[in-house]
């Protein structure tokens, strides 16, 4: 498989450390609010990557953290803790907020057919691991104490900007409007590993540490949780592109300083979902959630389909018009699948093979999901039996996870008469009603319509005759 690697900024052949095994880490949600559909774009594309690696035969271990402490309102270690702000907003405790939004995240993820990672670890469960890592960094001379906090000393590194193309001036602490300069820092990019002093004294969660009562910085979470569960060598680290700097850059700095060797070989970053105002973001407010889409009548899987139609390395512009187009295409696709019937036949695996090759070729090429969707449509074009078509659709859906077979079955179940529906009786009543209408006997015609309605049968008159369906 070829993957674009932010480390190096090129497409590279993916080769894991251990043959046949992939260790994958994902930055989890900061659980102070609902995930918006932009966050979920990132998780959908990471889910496709994980599922494709499994499809391609790898044994995958995927680890994800839950950020329930330490993520401040600015990524550069200043401002209020996001969790505390969430708790204040809702007059609840930080842990209540964390539990509520963690559950909400996984409920949204499940509606989008996003598989749960193998390991999910809240940051607040790993305080001893963070402390151990910070102690080691101090011992090795990579960290220093200043003003009550422990900082990572980026001046000790030859190449801090591992992703290269960062615009230092723009990112400089003190020039972004939401960032105030921390005079304790030796170098402007130094970052906090452990806080005991914050301008925001009412930080709710604090733990004893060798440096006093305090709490971890956000970046240390991901390094320590990844190393705890995935070991010293990570194959793929994922996140939204906004995480590349400073979060992932800092993760690399501290993990490699701690381990004494290269840590993670591939960095997979998903570009943002944009709306009219630019990047969809929790802090700006006014964002869209899965529940909001559902309230407006959208099937969450139609949103997944919308995401898969674009490449993960291109920004995706959200509008309801664009989503409506995806909904139409998705519904048509389901309707086409619903018309297929195996009639008890077996698929022809030889005939299926070239279609599978095309599907793999698309995803092997830097996870090109839109071409993979095209490969799915190609199944209908081919001269294949329905059994083979259904086999391929189910096979591709192991990766795409659009619920295609289930949705087609549900559609058929809705339109097929239930076992206890007396079709002969319904058709007899319809014939009588047609006669009554021909005789201009409206009272009888209406009475028959009511009788059918009582049987939960809805009839529709059209120029081609009368059709009926079971009331939903
Ligand atoms: P957070 O819950 O803020 O920590 O973010 C969770 C994930 O969503 C991170 O990987 C972010 O990089 C990613 N993310 C944030 N905003 C967007 C967006 N508008 N589009 C895509 N991914 C995003
Ligand atoms: Zn992270």
């Amino acid at each position: 498989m070829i993957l674009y690697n932010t480390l190096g900024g090129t497409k590279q052949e993916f080769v894991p450390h251990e043959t046949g095994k992939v260790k994958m880490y994902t930055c989890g949600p900061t659980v102070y609010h609902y995930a918006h559909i932009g966050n979920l774009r990132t998780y959908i594309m990471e889910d496709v990557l994980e599922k494709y690696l499994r499809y391609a035969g790898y044994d995958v271990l995927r680890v994800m953290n839950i950020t329930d402490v330490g993520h401040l309102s600015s990524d550069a270690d200043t401002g209020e803790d996001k969790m505390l702000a969430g708790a204040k907003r809702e007059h609840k405790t930080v842990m209540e907020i964390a539990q509520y939004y963690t559950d909400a995240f996984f409920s949204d993820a499940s509606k989008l057919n996003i598989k749960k990672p193998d390991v999910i670890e809240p940051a607040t469960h790993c305080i001893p691991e963070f402390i151990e890592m910070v102690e080691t960094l101090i011992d090795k001379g990579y960290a220093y104490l200043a003003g009550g906090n422990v900082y990572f000393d980026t001046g000790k590194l030859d190449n801090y900007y591992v992703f290269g193309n960062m615009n230092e001036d723009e990112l400089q602490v003190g020039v972004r409007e939401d960032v105030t300069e921390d005079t304790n820092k030796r170098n402007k990019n130094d970052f906090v590993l452990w806080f005991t002093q914050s301008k925001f004294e009412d930080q709710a969660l604090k733990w004893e540490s060798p440096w006093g009562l305090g709490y971890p910085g956000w970046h240390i979470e991901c390094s320590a949780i990844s190393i705890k569960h995935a070991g010293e060598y990570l194959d793929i680290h994922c996140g939204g592109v906004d995480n590349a700097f400073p979060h992932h850059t800092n993760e690399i700095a501290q993990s490699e300083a701690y381990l004494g060797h290269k840590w993670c070989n591939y960095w997979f970053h998903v570009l943002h979902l944009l709306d009219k105002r630019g990047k969809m973001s929790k802090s700006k407010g006014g964002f869209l959630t899965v529940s909001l889409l559902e309230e407006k009548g959208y099937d969450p899987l139609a949103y997944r389909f919308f995401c898969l139609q674009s490449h993960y390395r291109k920004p995706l512009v959200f509008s309801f018009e664009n989503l409506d187009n995806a909904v139409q295409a998705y519904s048509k696709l389901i309707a086409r699948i619903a018309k297929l019937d195996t009639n008890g036949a077996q698929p022809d695996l030889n005939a299926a093979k070239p279609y599978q090759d095309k599907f793999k070729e698309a995803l092997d090429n830097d996870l090109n999901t839109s071409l993979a969707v095209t490969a799915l449509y190609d199944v209908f074009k081919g001269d294949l039996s329905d059994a083979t078509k259904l086999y391929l659709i189910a096979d591709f859906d192991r990766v795409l996870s659009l619920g295609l077979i289930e949705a087609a079955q549900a559609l058929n179940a809705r339109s097929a008469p239930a076992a206890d529906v007396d079709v002969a009786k319904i058709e007899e009543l319809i014939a009588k009603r047609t006669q009554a209408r021909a005789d201009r006997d409206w009272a009888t015609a209406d009475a028959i319509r009511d009788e059918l309605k009582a049987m939960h049968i809805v009839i529709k008159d059209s120029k081609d005759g009368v059709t009926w369906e079971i009331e939903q």
Side-chain angles (χ1 to χ4, degrees):
M1 181 182 197
I2 301 287
L3 269 182
Y4 179 86
N5 188 354
T6 314
L7 199 59
T10 53
K11 284 191 189 180
Q12 299 167 9
E13 173 82 43
F14 173 65
V15 185
H17 282 97
E18 218 180 308
T19 312
K21 289 199 170 166
V22 179
K23 292 186 174 170
M24 199 173 162
Y25 183 84
T26 301
C27 289
T30 308
V31 284
Y32 71 110
H33 217 317
Y34 292 107
H36 55 64
I37 59 170
N39 301 127
L40 291 161
R41 177 195 191 197
T42 292
Y43 293 109
I44 288 171
M45 301 319 284
E46 293 168 351
D47 181 65
V48 175
L49 174 62
E50 175 191 346
K51 287 178 177 158
Y52 182 60
L53 290 166
R54 291 187 198 272
Y55 180 93
Y58 289 106
D59 177 7
V60 181
L61 172 74
R62 176 141 173 235
V63 180
M64 186 173 97
N65 70 309
I66 299 287
T67 299
D68 54 0
V69 68
H71 196 171
L72 305 189
S73 58
S74 123
D75 286 354
D77 301 332
T78 57
E80 192 171 17
D81 183 287
K82 290 187 181 192
M83 294 301 302
L84 188 65
K88 276 192 195 154
R89 184 187 65 230
E90 298 185 18
H91 307 290
K92 293 198 178 127
T93 66
V94 165
M95 285 333 278
E96 281 167 348
I97 289 285
Q99 193 56 54
Y100 179 80
Y101 288 113
T102 302
D103 293 346
F105 173 77
F106 286 112
S107 155
D108 288 345
S110 128
K111 288 177 184 165
L112 291 162
N113 279 352
I114 297 172
K115 178 186 165 298
K116 270 193 173 176
D118 304 291
V119 179
I120 298 159
E121 182 84 278
T124 48
H125 292 192
C126 295
I127 302 300
E129 285 85 353
F130 305 151
I131 291 177
E132 189 273 329
M133 196 161 175
V134 177
E135 279 180 315
T136 307
L137 289 170
I138 295 175
D139 290 348
K140 289 187 158 192
Y142 285 105
Y144 59 93
L145 258 163
N149 298 332
V150 185
Y151 292 84
F152 186 92
D153 187 349
T154 56
K156 290 274 166 17
L157 305 180
D158 296 334
N159 179 22
Y160 169 68
Y161 295 103
V162 279
F163 296 133
N165 53 353
M166 303 299 164
N167 180 343
E168 247 188 86
D169 291 338
E170 265 178 32
L171 297 166
Q172 200 178 342
V173 175
V175 294
R176 273 169 29 179
E177 57 181 300
D178 55 342
V179 178
T180 45
E181 199 162 0
D182 178 347
T183 49
N184 291 324
K185 295 186 181 185
R186 290 183 189 163
N187 312 287
K188 70 177 186 297
N189 286 308
D190 289 358
F191 53 93
V192 179
L193 298 166
W194 187 268
F195 287 97
T196 69
Q197 292 300 321
S198 157
K199 275 195 297 185
F200 297 90
E201 281 307 328
D202 48 358
Q203 168 67 23
L205 299 173
K206 290 184 184 178
W207 293 265
E208 283 300 342
S209 80
W211 318 284
L213 196 64
Y215 60 101
W218 172 39
H219 315 296
I220 196 85
E221 286 179 19
C222 288
S223 291
I225 291 175
S226 167
I227 293 168
K228 176 177 176 187
H229 294 288
E232 288 193 15
Y233 295 94
L234 191 64
D235 294 304
I236 308 180
H237 194 308
C238 312
V241 70
D242 56 313
N243 282 166
F245 189 91
H247 184 49
H248 292 162
T249 304
N250 292 350
E251 278 188 48
I252 294 172
Q254 68 203 357
S255 297
E256 297 191 351
Y258 172 79
L259 294 168
H261 59 70
K262 189 171 179 192
W263 170 50
C264 176
N265 282 341
Y266 300 88
W267 289 82
F268 176 88
H269 288 121
V270 179
L271 272 285
H272 287 142
L273 184 80
L274 313 174
D275 60 16
K276 304 196 274 292
R277 301 177 302 162
K279 177 194 165 204
M280 194 172 281
S281 92
K282 287 187 206 175
S283 50
K284 264 197 260 173
F287 52 78
L288 282 169
T289 60
V290 168
S291 312
L292 264 164
L293 290 186
E294 283 183 310
E295 275 167 33
K296 289 181 186 283
Y298 290 99
D299 177 349
L301 291 180
Y303 177 66
R304 183 171 174 117
F305 185 71
F306 170 71
C307 290
L308 297 193
Q309 285 176 315
S310 306
H311 195 257
Y312 76 91
R313 268 197 315 114
K314 291 202 179 113
L316 178 58
V317 179
F318 179 85
S319 69
F320 279 103
E321 202 185 339
N322 293 346
L323 182 61
D324 286 339
N325 290 335
V327 168
Q328 272 199 11
Y330 181 66
S331 311
K332 274 193 196 155
L333 179 62
I334 305 289
R336 284 176 91 177
I337 299 169
K339 290 207 178 88
L340 302 174
D341 189 345
T342 62
N343 287 313
Q346 291 300 312
D348 177 345
L349 300 188
N350 287 330
K353 177 89 175 34
Y355 292 85
Q356 287 169 313
D357 289 345
K358 200 162 173 207
F359 179 73
K360 282 195 217 151
E361 197 186 311
L363 294 171
D364 275 341
N365 181 10
D366 195 21
L367 207 74
N368 194 326
T369 49
S370 69
L371 275 183
V373 170
T374 306
L376 175 72
Y377 279 104
D378 286 348
V379 170
F380 292 97
K381 288 195 207 141
D383 183 20
L384 299 167
S385 68
D386 278 11
T388 309
K389 287 180 184 164
L390 282 167
Y391 164 79
L392 282 168
I393 291 161
D395 185 55
F396 296 174
D397 214 31
R398 283 163 54 203
V399 178
L400 304 177
S401 291
L402 292 165
L404 296 173
I405 302 290
E406 298 81 353
Q409 282 168 348
L411 184 65
N412 282 334
R414 280 203 296 277
S415 38
D420 56 355
V421 171
D422 186 343
V423 176
K425 165 102 177 148
I426 293 166
E427 284 178 354
E428 185 195 320
L429 284 170
I430 289 176
K432 273 192 191 159
R433 177 175 167 271
T434 307
Q435 187 56 51
R437 283 163 63 92
D439 298 342
R440 299 184 158 270
D441 178 0
W442 309 119
T444 305
D446 286 350
I448 295 174
R449 179 189 281 270
D450 291 346
E451 191 179 343
L452 284 163
K453 191 157 177 20
M455 292 160 68
H456 300 287
I457 301 301
V458 186
I459 49 176
K460 282 192 192 131
D461 297 306
S462 78
K463 61 179 174 28
D464 301 322
V466 183
T467 56
W468 61 273
E469 62 184 31
I470 302 164
E471 198 177 38
Q472 298 300 318

